[in-house]
Amino acid sequence: MRKQRVEELSEGLAGPGVQVLDVGCGTGISAPFYIEKGCAYQGVDIAENMVGQARARVRSELAPFAAGDVEVYGRQR
């Protein structure tokens, strides 16, 4: 249901040239939706194993995934 709801909410916003930062991307389940819409996609998750699963699932240079803690990054600024 989460995937469907995210796509419903993003439908009018997603399109060519739109930059998407998917914080907490998990296994990358939303990435194909954004890639198909032509978005510039980047997935980030704190769990390295989830990032590995996302990379295995999506396998696209258009969907880079990285492991990291966005809260730590935000405090460094």
Side-chain angles (χ1 to χ4, degrees):
M1 275 182 79
R2 178 183 177 268
K3 178 182 180 293
Q4 180 181 359
R5 186 68 179 139
V6 167
E7 290 177 5
E8 288 172 1
L9 292 170
S10 300
E11 186 64 42
L13 304 172
V18 172
Q19 295 183 355
V20 174
L21 177 59
D22 188 0
V23 176
C25 66
T27 61
I29 197 164
S30 296
F33 170 80
Y34 292 111
I35 293 169
E36 289 171 12
K37 296 287 184 181
C39 298
Y41 177 90
Q42 171 70 54
V44 179
D45 200 285
I46 196 167
E48 184 72 47
N49 65 324
M50 296 300 255
V51 171
Q53 291 178 46
R55 288 178 180 143
R57 171 191 293 244
V58 179
R59 296 192 182 275
S60 173
E61 292 180 14
L62 298 175
F65 295 97
D69 184 343
V70 296
E71 288 185 28
V72 169
Y73 176 75
R75 287 191 296 263
Q76 292 175 350
R77 294 189 146 232

